[in-house]
Amino acid sequence: MKQIISLLLSTLILGSLAIAQPSQITGAVIRYDDGKFEEAYNMLKKATANENLFPEKKQKALYKGYYYTALAAARISNDTGLSKKYPGAALEAHLMFQKVMNYAVYSKKWKNTAKNDNAENVIWFGLYNDGLTNFNKGGNAQDEESRMSIYQSALDNFMAAATYKGDHILTQRMLGATYLNLKDSANAIASLEKALEIYRGRYVVSETNTADAVKLAKFTNGDFAQDSGQVSYMVQQLAVVYDAQSEPRKALDLLESSKEIIPDDPNVKRQELNIYNRNPELI
């Protein structure tokens, strides 16, 4: 008899919890909409912690909780103060968002909602900023093991960021720089070359890119000045790798072609002179 009563009580408790979880998620969403991102995040984490409390008929509420957990985590990662308190928030936002987008039953609904919420851009921004933070920390690490570990964390951030903006010049440039610090020349070259390819495809006149199209891109793309500021760094990094791989001619050709974009860059000219000094036969 006691066992039956105990079983009934357990069933009642689980039933009440199953009813409570969706209402907790609704309350958290209200907090999120009010801009109380940290409060919403903690409520959502608690409400979605046990998937077993969401039977099949309540799965819609569970994935709503996951979606808003992703958004709240992304907002936290973009807040200077809160990001220090929740250092893994950007990657958590990415993983939770992908979980929702890859769940076939509700993916179409949430993809439309995410577009309206500008969710991918918010998540990318948090991932990119976390990547920059880790990249800079890696440069200040006291020993090689710590340095490599921190750079790997930066790489994780930038690779996740590429899920949302793989054609963003900053994403590819920082992927290349991070690969270089991890001593992965092949992937560094691939990322840096892709970044330059993206730049040329948008802002340089060619057979497939008319002067009018380039002019329009420069006028309408708010990232033009920022993108242009990255060219010198990308060219220099690529030239260093080419030269280190015993391909000084390839490095010089790259430096020469970059003058079309940055004609008076003193760093490019200096690097070109250094390569010629080491390889006078190429003059």
Side-chain angles (χ1 to χ4, degrees):
M1 188 65 177
K2 287 182 178 180
Q3 289 180 337
I4 294 174
I5 293 173
S6 177
L7 183 61
L8 286 171
L9 285 173
S10 297
T11 302
L12 286 170
I13 291 170
L14 287 172
S16 63
L17 285 172
I19 294 171
Q21 302 312 101
S23 64
Q24 289 176 15
I25 289 170
T26 300
V29 172
I30 292 172
R31 303 294 194 289
Y32 177 87
D33 289 339
D34 287 341
K36 299 175 181 178
F37 303 128
E38 183 180 20
E39 188 177 350
Y41 172 77
N42 287 319
M43 288 177 67
L44 288 161
K45 290 284 287 182
K46 184 177 180 181
T48 59
N50 188 349
E51 294 183 358
N52 294 326
L53 294 176
F54 294 86
E56 187 174 346
K57 292 182 179 180
K58 299 292 183 181
Q59 288 291 297
K60 185 176 181 179
L62 176 63
Y63 277 81
K64 180 179 182 179
Y66 287 156
Y67 175 77
Y68 278 97
T69 300
L71 283 191
R75 295 292 183 182
I76 285 170
S77 72
N78 288 321
D79 184 291
T80 304
L82 290 176
S83 62
K84 294 177 181 178
K85 188 175 178 181
Y86 301 91
L91 273 178
E92 182 181 9
H94 161 66
L95 294 172
M96 197 64 72
F97 186 78
Q98 291 303 313
K99 187 172 187 175
V100 175
M101 294 300 109
N102 291 326
Y103 187 60
V105 178
Y106 300 117
S107 62
K108 184 176 181 179
K109 166 186 168 50
W110 290 114
K111 281 177 183 176
N112 291 332
T113 303
K115 186 175 181 180
N116 293 332
D117 290 336
N118 198 27
E120 292 195 358
N121 192 55
V122 175
I123 294 171
W124 173 84
F125 195 74
L127 288 165
Y128 180 79
N129 281 340
D130 267 16
L132 276 182
T133 298
N134 284 321
F135 184 87
N136 292 331
K137 283 181 180 177
N140 295 322
Q142 299 300 310
D143 59 85
E144 184 70 5
E145 184 177 353
S146 298
R147 187 177 299 111
M148 292 298 104
S149 176
I150 297 171
Y151 280 136
Q152 183 59 53
S153 295
L155 182 65
D156 292 341
N157 289 126
F158 292 131
M159 287 183 70
T163 304
Y164 306 97
K165 292 191 178 185
D167 63 345
H168 198 288
I169 289 171
L170 285 179
T171 302
Q172 292 299 329
R173 188 246 158 166
M174 290 311 302
L175 271 172
T178 307
Y179 277 126
L180 273 180
N181 284 318
L182 287 168
K183 300 178 174 59
D184 185 344
S185 297
N187 278 315
I189 289 172
S191 294
L192 292 169
E193 286 182 339
K194 183 173 182 179
L196 279 174
E197 180 185 339
I198 294 169
Y199 185 92
R200 288 182 177 280
R202 287 179 186 162
Y203 306 124
V204 177
V205 176
S206 66
E207 291 182 1
T208 58
N209 206 20
T210 66
D212 286 342
V214 169
K215 185 177 180 180
L216 181 63
K218 290 179 178 180
F219 180 75
T220 58
N221 193 328
D223 292 332
F224 172 61
Q226 176 180 261
D227 291 344
S228 297
Q230 302 299 315
V231 174
S232 179
Y233 297 110
M234 295 186 292
V235 168
Q236 290 177 70
Q237 287 173 330
L238 268 174
V240 166
V241 179
Y242 291 155
D243 193 29
Q245 292 184 338
S246 301
E247 295 183 282
R249 181 74 268 168
K250 189 173 183 179
L252 289 169
D253 289 344
L254 172 66
L255 293 168
E256 181 62 31
S257 67
S258 73
K259 293 175 184 177
E260 179 185 5
I261 306 170
I262 43 174
D264 299 312
D265 190 285
N267 294 314
V268 168
K269 291 179 178 179
R270 188 180 304 112
Q271 193 170 10
E272 187 177 48
L273 181 61
N274 289 337
I275 294 174
Y276 274 126
N277 286 337
R278 291 194 300 275
N279 303 273
E281 72 281 3
L282 296 176
I283 297 175

